[in-house]
Amino acid sequence: MPTACNVVVLISGSGSNLQALIDSLQPGVSPARIRAVICNRADAYGVERARNAGIDIRVLDHTQYDGREAFDGALIQAIDAFEPHLVVLAGFMRILTPGFVRHYAGRLLNIHPSLLPRHKGLHTHQRALEAGDREHGCSVHFVTEELDGGPLVVQAVVPVQSDDTPESLARRVHIQEHQVYPMAVHWFAEGRLQLVEQGAMLDGSLLPSTGQIIRA
């Protein structure tokens, strides 16, 4: 792993996980360096967060491309211009093509607001409550061609309270997201975390199928 680990962050919205990464991955603290933020929506507040941090920004409006393959091809060109060692999905609301995922195999991370493999997809907090789950949380995982299905790195678990609403549960999960995502990126930047054929490996040992578990 190089001394500096170039990171490109993809966003679509408010960028709260981006802000957590900006705040946590400071020079002298982590070898991870956010080289660029790429967004598919010009009005996303995350663009302003990147601008305030002095980070290069690229906006690629997916509606201006003739289909998913064309957009992902342009996205790859934009990302690769920054020579990334790691690409981080931080609320990037696009389903990526298999070709894109293969291009960044082993260096593409995502965070999902549930304890995978439970509640893949959207509306996870509402679904957790409807299912009567006693625990909920978030998962950092390597991205593969299976939607929300790549090898898990770390999961943060929060108890579901009897009076929880989707909004109150989401707030507590977000707090944990902002802790574990920078942690996983830092592990990768230090060369401690990697994807191998058998799964995710941390410090030379295969992680369990659940990833590392952290309880709030």
Side-chain angles (χ1 to χ4, degrees), residues 47-68:
V47 172
E48 189 68 21
R49 294 183 191 270
R51 185 175 293 115
N52 291 340
I55 298 171
D56 278 339
I57 303 160
R58 299 290 183 272
V59 175
L60 272 68
D61 182 351
H62 61 276
T63 67
Q64 300 302 306
Y65 292 86
D66 185 19
R68 200 179 300 278

Side-chain angles (χ1 to χ4, degrees), residues 112-120 124 133-139 152 154-158 210 213-215:
H112 182 75
S114 79
L115 298 176
L116 292 172
R118 291 183 66 80
H119 309 309
K120 296 181 180 184
T124 59
D133 292 351
R134 299 179 64 181
E135 293 183 325
H136 188 46
C138 58
S139 307
L152 291 163
V154 57
Q155 296 195 100
V157 180
V158 300
T210 57
I213 298 293
I214 295 175
R215 295 189 174 274

Side-chain angles (χ1 to χ4, degrees), residues 4 9 35 42 70 94 108 110 120-121 125 129 159 168 176 209-210:
V9 183
R35 286 290 314 278
R94 298 283 302 166
L108 184 60
N110 183 47
K120 296 181 180 184
H125 312 302
L129 292 175
S168 66
Q176 297 307 311
S209 60
T210 57

Side-chain angles (χ1 to χ4, degrees), residues 51 81 174-175 192 194 203:
R51 185 175 293 115
H174 284 157
I175 291 170
R192 298 171 57 195
Q194 59 182 313
D203 294 331

